[in-house]
Amino acid sequence: MDDAKHVRTAAVTRLAIGLGQGIVLFLLQKADESKAWPATQPLLYAPLLVCALMVPMIPLAALSAMRRPALIAWSLIAAALATILAVHAAWTGAGPDRLGAGPLSPPLFIAVPALLFIAHHLVQPAEAVRKPVAPYSDYFDLVGTNAVRLFLSLAFTGAFWLLLFLAAALFKLIGIEAIQKLIGETAFAFPATGLMFAAAVHMAVQLTEARAGLVRGVRTVALVLLAWLLPLMVVIAGGFLATLPFTGLAPLWGTKAATALLLAAAAALIILLNAAYQDGSEPPHAILRWAARAASLLLIPIVVLAAYALWLRVDQYGLTPDRVFAAAYLAVAVGFTAGYTLAALRPGPWMKPLEPTNLIMALVSVLLLIALFTPIADPARLSVASQVKRLEAGKVTAEKFDFQFLRFDSGRYGRDALHALAKDRNPQTAKRANEAIALTAKAYAPVQTAPDLAKTQVYPAGAKLPDTFARQTWSDEPHSLCMDAGVCKALLLDVDGDGINEVLLLDTDDSLDIYREADGRWSRVARSSTVCQAGDIETALKAGQVTLGELRSQRDLIIGGHVLPLEPINKGCPSDEGGERKKAHSLRPISGDPFGRYPF
């Protein structure tokens, strides 16, 4: 009887929380929409909105699992953390025209739930055993169970709305639009969603408690299937690292996303390794055990490469918000790598040090999130300080400095730095800063529709671009190259063997466009791309080390030993009924035109 009463009390409490949450969110949305109080006070509105969105999840999830005083205390602490982060976000982004939710950056709505999710799963197991640290299996079990509950609750709420939309469509068929109007009203949508989600959470909690064994079984099967991807990921990571000595690091740096890709690979190894370990109660298959040890060791070179790639970018260009976030992810990856390496090499129970590593890094992640979204390590603050320091040190000139980053993309920190630069002793710096302050919207450089021929370096030395090429209007010709402020390189070369030079434009990204004149007009007929370094190409051009490959079904351009395969640009799609065109091409000799007449 007591159990039934407890269940009813929990159900009523959860429904009240869900309904209250929905009503509060509706009132905040209406205030934002009408620009009424409290939306006119960002430092008040921001914490109200963030707390109303995030904090109710804690009592909804832990109502039956934590003692009431502990649950209330933890909910208040969570609300305080959310408030601090929201107030800081509103303070940094606030402006005269940024009211309501306007000052809040999208990352905040990812960081706060992530912080509370991680912290809650550290707090609840410890509270249950009345100790600072609970057994590792308790953490593992709670995370898995709550993940299932969250999925079921979201699915139920989504199904509820699908049925409402279906009902509205059905009744509209017979001329009744009341349901459609009802679900379109925010006064109904917010409270109904909060109520139904709370109901779904309660049912999910009751289901997972009554069928705990079934839930664990499904979770175990899913993790085992995921774990068997670990050997494949080990082969992929190992093959990648084994190939690097032969390819060098230039292709990796050329992606301009090396840090992100390497950290993603590290994250994949960490996730799959944990899928194999699970709660550590039973060692998995021998293949998975060896794969886990190998994965732990492979993390070392991958994280080292990621750190080196990030250091190169920061050393060359300074900090940006993205690089600050990348540094935080890297710090977490370094911690996991150190702990997992110790787990792989230490004798004793299989990978046992993985458990304290996961708990320590969960706490580190919470602290990092707090630091990143407060003045301690705010990415905007650190980036502004880094970029301004580069400007003051002369590493970047005022002409090339991105003052618009300070004006529009770095919040209060950037605006304050911009006003300080407006009084700088350097007149050019002060002028550019004042121009940026005067902007009301971000200004974009006009899109260039033609190669910047004024800055083109022509090869062979002493050659000049044809007059018709230099005078041509390019507005109707699509271009992808020579659009930036860099110096393009042009090569005059008879590629098709007809005695007339084509114009080959090499852009700063080492791609090549080939232009041919026909009927007095130049058009792009072929292109090539290469991963070679620009310095190698330019040196070869100055030395005249340019040749053409043998004329076959296609011709290669060879510059300084680097082969650039030429690819035609198709101007149309001719039909090929019965395959006659392909058959004729296979029988006819190739003429001296590898671009337009015949495919490569």
Side-chain angles (χ1 to χ4, degrees):
M1 189 63 120
D2 290 340
D3 289 342
K5 183 179 179 181
H6 178 73
V7 170
R8 286 196 300 270
T9 302
V12 171
T13 304
R14 284 194 174 98
L15 292 176
I17 292 172
L19 181 61
Q21 180 188 29
I23 292 173
V24 171
L25 289 175
F26 162 70
L27 294 174
L28 292 174
Q29 188 271 337
K30 293 300 290 185
D32 193 5
E33 188 179 77
S34 59
K35 304 305 177 189
W37 188 90
T40 54
Q41 303 294 325
L43 296 185
L44 172 62
Y45 184 88
L48 288 175
L49 176 62
V50 172
C51 288
L53 273 173
M54 316 298 182
V55 177
M57 292 296 297
I58 291 174
L60 284 177
L63 188 62
S64 305
M66 294 181 67
R67 293 172 298 163
R68 193 62 53 88
L71 178 58
I72 294 174
W74 165 227
S75 298
L76 291 174
I77 293 172
L81 289 174
T83 297
I84 292 171
L85 271 60
V87 168
H88 175 257
W91 179 78
T92 57
D97 57 342
R98 294 174 66 81
L99 304 177
L104 301 181
S105 61
L108 179 71
F109 294 96
I110 300 174
V112 173
L115 186 155
L116 296 184
F117 182 87
I118 298 171
H120 177 73
H121 290 87
L122 291 174
V123 170
Q124 184 177 325
E127 192 278 334
V129 298
R130 314 292 198 270
K131 294 180 180 179
V133 180
Y136 183 76
S137 58
D138 291 357
Y139 296 104
F140 176 82
D141 188 63
L142 181 64
V143 171
T145 301
N146 279 347
V148 172
R149 290 171 179 173
L150 180 61
F151 173 78
L152 293 175
S153 301
L154 292 174
F156 180 86
T157 308
F160 164 74
W161 275 102
L162 286 176
L163 289 178
L164 286 184
F165 282 117
L166 177 60
L170 287 174
F171 278 94
K172 188 177 180 180
L173 291 176
I174 56 177
I176 299 176
E177 299 185 359
I179 297 180
Q180 187 176 35
K181 292 179 180 179
L182 176 65
I183 64 177
E185 293 290 335
T186 53
F188 170 80
F190 280 99
T193 301
L195 189 64
M196 295 308 297
F197 183 78
V201 170
H202 181 74
M203 290 186 287
V205 169
Q206 298 305 309
L207 175 64
T208 53
E209 288 179 351
R211 300 287 188 271
L214 178 61
V215 172
R216 290 192 184 95
V218 172
R219 184 185 65 203
T220 300
V221 170
L223 289 175
V224 168
L225 291 175
L226 187 63
W228 279 102
L229 293 176
L230 180 61
L232 175 60
M233 187 62 204
V234 167
V235 171
I236 293 171
F240 167 77
L241 293 171
T243 306
L244 282 181
F246 302 98
T247 63
L249 295 176
L252 182 62
W253 304 154
T255 65
K256 298 181 180 180
T259 303
L261 292 172
L262 290 166
L263 288 177
L269 287 170
I270 292 169
I271 292 170
L272 294 176
L273 200 155
N274 278 278
Y277 188 83
Q278 297 190 32
D279 62 358
S281 58
E282 295 183 12
H285 191 279
I287 294 177
L288 293 180
R289 294 201 299 273
W290 284 105
R293 293 184 187 276
S296 301
L297 299 178
L298 287 173
L299 281 171
I300 299 174
I302 289 175
V303 171
V304 168
L305 281 174
Y308 181 53
L310 181 60
W311 179 83
L312 286 177
R313 300 298 288 179
V314 173
D315 182 63
Q316 187 173 4
Y317 300 108
L319 289 174
T320 64
D322 287 344
R323 289 176 196 142
V324 175
F325 280 117
Y329 301 148
L330 181 63
V332 174
V334 168
F336 276 114
T337 300
Y340 287 11
T341 301
L342 176 64
L345 299 178
R346 185 175 179 179
W350 179 71
M351 297 292 289
K352 195 67 176 177
L354 177 146
E355 298 178 3
T357 298
N358 285 350
L359 297 180
I360 292 171
M361 294 317 300
L363 180 59
V364 169
S365 298
V366 169
L367 297 177
L368 278 175
L369 285 170
I370 294 173
L372 288 170
F373 288 87
T374 59
I376 298 172
D378 185 290
R381 183 183 70 81
L382 297 179
S383 300
V384 168
S386 172
Q387 296 301 328
V388 171
K389 184 178 179 180
R390 283 168 47 80
L391 176 64
E392 293 174 343
K395 293 183 178 180
V396 60
T397 64
E399 291 76 11
K400 294 185 178 181
F401 186 78
D402 188 0
F403 287 91
Q404 292 195 79
F405 167 73
L406 302 181
R407 175 68 177 85
F408 297 106
D409 300 328
S410 51
R412 183 183 295 266
Y413 298 111
R415 294 193 296 272
D416 290 347
L418 192 60
H419 282 87
L421 291 174
K423 302 174 184 178
D424 195 86
R425 295 179 180 179
N426 185 329
Q428 186 63 22
T429 298
K431 177 176 178 291
R432 293 287 308 281
N434 280 296
E435 290 173 350
I437 292 173
L439 292 175
T440 56
K442 201 166 186 178
Y444 295 92
V447 178
Q448 190 175 318
T449 59
D452 187 358
L453 301 180
K455 297 182 179 180
T456 302
Q457 177 66 50
V458 184
Y459 297 95
K464 294 183 179 180
L465 290 173
D467 291 340
T468 53
F469 188 90
R471 294 196 305 265
Q472 180 165 310
T473 301
W474 298 90
S475 58
D476 59 343
E477 177 76 15
H479 289 278
S480 60
L481 305 177
C482 290
M483 297 302 178
D484 60 14
V487 177
C488 293
K489 294 172 279 292
L491 174 66
L492 303 185
L493 186 66
D494 180 13
V495 179
D496 57 13
D498 63 355
I500 302 174
N501 284 336
E502 278 70 45
V503 176
L504 287 68
L505 285 181
L506 181 69
D507 192 17
T508 52
D509 69 351
D510 302 331
S511 295
L512 190 75
D513 274 349
I514 302 175
Y515 297 84
R516 175 196 289 150
E517 185 179 24
D519 298 327
R521 181 158 189 83
W522 293 83
S523 60
R524 191 167 53 159
V525 294
R527 74 183 308 275
S528 180
S529 60
T530 177
V531 297
C532 300
Q533 296 297 305
D536 297 339
I537 296 293
E538 187 168 2
T539 301
L541 289 175
K542 289 180 179 179
Q545 299 172 353
V546 180
T547 58
L548 288 168
E550 181 184 352
L551 187 61
R552 307 180 304 275
S553 59
Q554 75 176 53
R555 172 169 278 187
D556 296 335
L557 180 65
I558 305 171
I559 303 180
H562 299 297
V563 179
L564 284 68
L566 304 181
E567 305 169 359
I569 296 175
N570 297 322
K571 300 295 184 181
C573 300
S575 62
D576 186 18
E577 296 181 4
E580 293 300 323
R581 182 179 177 86
K582 181 177 180 181
K583 180 179 179 182
H585 170 63
S586 66
L587 297 176
R588 292 162 58 182
I590 300 298
S591 73
D593 180 7
F595 301 129
R597 299 188 187 91
Y598 302 105
F600 282 112

